[in-house]
Amino acid sequence: MIRAENLRHVYKSSAGDRVALDGVSFSINDGEFVAIIGTNGSGKSTLAKHFNALLLPTSGKIFVDGLDTSDEKNLWHVRQNVGMVFQNPDSEIVAAIVDDDVAFGLENLGIEPKKIRERVDLALDDVNMSDYKKFAPSKLSGGQKQRIAIAGVIAMRTKIIVFDEPTAMLDPQGRREILQMVKRLHAQGLTIIYITHFMEEAAQAQRVLVMESGRIVRDGTPREVFTDVREITRLGFDVPVAVQIANRLRRRGFKLPKKILTADELAEALQ
Ligand code: ADP
Ligand code: MG
């Protein structure tokens, strides 16, 4: 679904060049749920913007559904395939009433009004926001606004949705709701790319890419990535609590399996 080949991105300014992506190669299959983690400034958002050609490579290539994003003829099709949800819901809301906001992208595609209304209703239902159809977005909580933004993307029926730290500004309840929604979209067959700095969110993906200084330094299952305590600590991330406790117990002589990731697995091993 997505393939990057030695992708580089350099921001040029009068203050000097800034290498944000420094030779990134990977592919993501149809229907995968991939989390991307990495410290601030490691290049995650820059990479996200390459998935729908908001940015184009300085060198190297990125293909979306087989299409080279840097070829102008492909732009429309690439954008049709990739929905984006960003960190700040306020900057994504464009209309004064919820259902108009969800319809916005569809109106730009020239779809007939009756079809638009059907799709908007379905999308609002999908994110449990049907009751708020005629509300002003400004009256909604951050989590609800983010759900409206997701409904706008769902209504577009893209194959891929890229989330760039969608829960960073939400409270724990709002975060849980968004993650549930993401998992449901994945279960429906969408390809999900989910950038986060919450390790417990990344742990729920099928695969985790770790970025550092514009490169991908790890690519594996959450179990492979998060049980490598030395590497996770070096990168400055929190090691999941169950992994920490398992390690301390091992140092005290408990014989525990190597790859414990969750509290349930730890409890079972101890029993
Ligand atoms: P992340 O999302 O992982 O925090 P970004 O992709 O936003 O990282 O940024 C990667 C690097 O590129 C950082 O060093 C950042 O300062 C720089 N950068 C990001 N956007 C711009 C821009 N518009 N102009 C110049 N430099 C930028
Ligand atoms: Mg970012």
Side-chain angles (χ1 to χ4, degrees):
M1 193 53 88
I2 291 182
R3 191 168 84 243
E5 289 175 358
N6 205 14
L7 181 63
R8 277 176 54 87
H9 191 90
V10 182
Y11 291 104
K12 295 195 188 294
S13 76
S14 50
D17 290 357
R18 177 114 224 164
V19 179
L21 294 177
D22 191 11
V24 167
S25 301
F26 62 88
S27 43
I28 292 175
N29 292 321
D30 190 5
E32 260 194 301
F33 175 8
V34 180
I36 302 179
I37 62 173
T39 45
N40 274 341
S42 57
K44 304 179 298 298
S45 294
T46 303
L47 181 58
K49 288 175 188 148
H50 281 266
F51 293 139
N52 78 338
L54 279 175
L55 292 175
L56 295 176
T58 305
S59 66
K61 293 255 174 227
I62 182 156
F63 299 89
V64 173
D65 206 15
L67 301 170
D68 182 344
T69 63
S70 63
D71 185 340
E72 201 154 333
K73 315 194 276 304
N74 294 334
L75 192 61
W76 191 81
H77 196 75
V78 166
R79 297 252 165 99
Q80 287 278 92
N81 271 326
V82 187
M84 306 281 284
V85 178
F86 294 102
Q87 187 177 101
N88 182 353
D90 288 318
S91 65
E92 293 170 274
I93 303 243
V94 291
I97 300 176
V98 163
D99 62 352
D100 286 346
D101 193 82
V102 176
F104 182 78
L106 296 177
E107 277 158 4
N108 286 339
L109 293 179
I111 295 173
E112 60 173 290
K114 184 165 163 284
K115 284 246 165 64
I116 292 182
R117 278 195 301 277
E118 277 170 23
R119 284 215 211 172
V120 166
D121 287 350
L122 281 172
L124 281 171
D125 197 39
D126 242 355
V127 300
N128 296 324
M129 288 295 287
S130 296
D131 294 347
Y132 297 87
K133 205 170 147 178
K134 292 296 171 193
F135 271 55
S138 56
K139 295 280 194 300
L140 303 177
S141 71
Q144 289 173 323
K145 284 182 199 165
Q146 204 56 308
R147 276 148 67 186
I148 297 303
I150 294 172
V153 171
I154 291 173
M156 301 284 285
R157 309 210 168 148
T158 61
K159 294 184 192 167
I160 303 167
I161 305 184
V162 179
F163 295 86
D164 189 355
E165 303 205 32
T167 58
M169 301 175 78
L170 306 184
D171 60 17
Q173 173 64 21
R175 291 213 294 271
R176 276 194 295 275
E177 286 169 9
I178 298 299
L179 202 73
Q180 268 173 10
M181 207 152 292
V182 167
K183 286 163 84 172
R184 219 168 57 222
L185 291 167
H186 173 237
Q188 289 168 11
L190 284 161
T191 303
I192 305 286
I193 299 171
Y194 191 90
I195 299 171
T196 183
H197 65 257
F198 295 107
M199 298 306 121
E200 73 272 17
E201 291 184 348
Q204 310 211 29
Q206 294 173 312
R207 178 177 165 200
V208 180
L209 301 179
V210 183
M211 293 195 68
E212 185 184 25
S213 308
R215 292 165 186 270
I216 290 175
V217 294
R218 292 296 303 264
D219 177 354
T221 63
R223 192 174 303 283
E224 287 162 354
V225 170
F226 290 118
T227 55
D228 186 347
V229 173
R230 190 172 302 164
E231 180 70 358
I232 285 297
T233 310
R234 183 187 74 77
L235 291 162
F237 301 130
D238 294 334
V239 177
V241 172
V243 176
Q244 289 182 36
I245 295 175
N247 276 342
R248 290 195 194 181
L249 290 171
R250 276 187 205 105
R251 283 202 292 275
R252 295 206 179 183
F254 283 74
K255 293 214 162 32
L256 293 170
K258 268 248 162 58
K259 300 276 174 184
I260 286 177
L261 181 62
T262 66
D264 282 348
E265 290 167 4
L266 178 58
E268 196 172 313
L270 288 173
Q271 269 185 347

